[in-house]
Each structure stands twice: as structure tokens, then as C-alpha cells.
Amino acid sequence: MPFASENLGEGVKATRYVTNEHDAVVRGTHWVWRTRGRDIVMRTGTAHLAVAEALDPLLEVLARAIRLADDLG
């Protein structure tokens, strides 16, 4: 799904559910941007699905706060 960030522009957020070797369901989420010839990726993953859902809004705030070091000066 589209995911916009003021610092990095238009990106994508993708969430996937898979099973691990112990048959536990694991949730993995990626936030991805391509800007100025660079790939920027933030990834999370856990088998604690309720915690992942609860933290999702905070992780989106974190993802939107990411910026390139060039922009800090």
C-alpha cells in the first residue's frame, strides 16, 4: 500500500504473514522508499501479532521520521 513521508516522499508499506519452522505465524512489515538513487528500508518482524498490531501506529511515526543524513545539516 502507498506510504508517504514528508522527508522521503512516496513509498510503500507491505505486511506479510508467514509461518516459521515451529508453525508459528510471523508478521513482517517493510516500509520502503526510493529517493535520490538510494533505497531506504525499515523492517519489523515478530510472532507476537497483538504486539505488532498495537505498535503499528508508533512504527509509522518512526518511519515518517526517517530522513537522509544529507538533510540534517
Side-chain angles (χ1 to χ4, degrees):
M1 75 178 9
F3 185 83
S5 161
E6 184 178 324
N7 296 320
L8 299 175
E10 294 299 317
V12 175
K13 176 184 175 185
T15 299
R16 181 177 156 185
Y17 295 86
V18 297
T19 55
N20 66 14
E21 64 275 3
H22 306 292
D23 291 327
V25 176
V26 177
R27 177 184 185 229
T29 302
H30 296 74
W31 291 262
V32 182
W33 299 266
R34 176 96 176 137
T35 184
R36 292 188 249 167
R38 297 178 180 153
D39 293 326
I40 295 90
V41 180
M42 181 175 112
R43 302 183 323 174
T44 64
T46 185
H48 300 282
L49 302 181
V51 171
E53 293 292 324
L55 289 177
D56 206 42
L58 295 173
L59 292 170
E60 290 200 359
V61 170
L62 176 61
R64 285 192 172 93
I66 296 171
R67 65 176 66 197
L68 298 177
D70 301 352
D71 297 338
L72 295 175

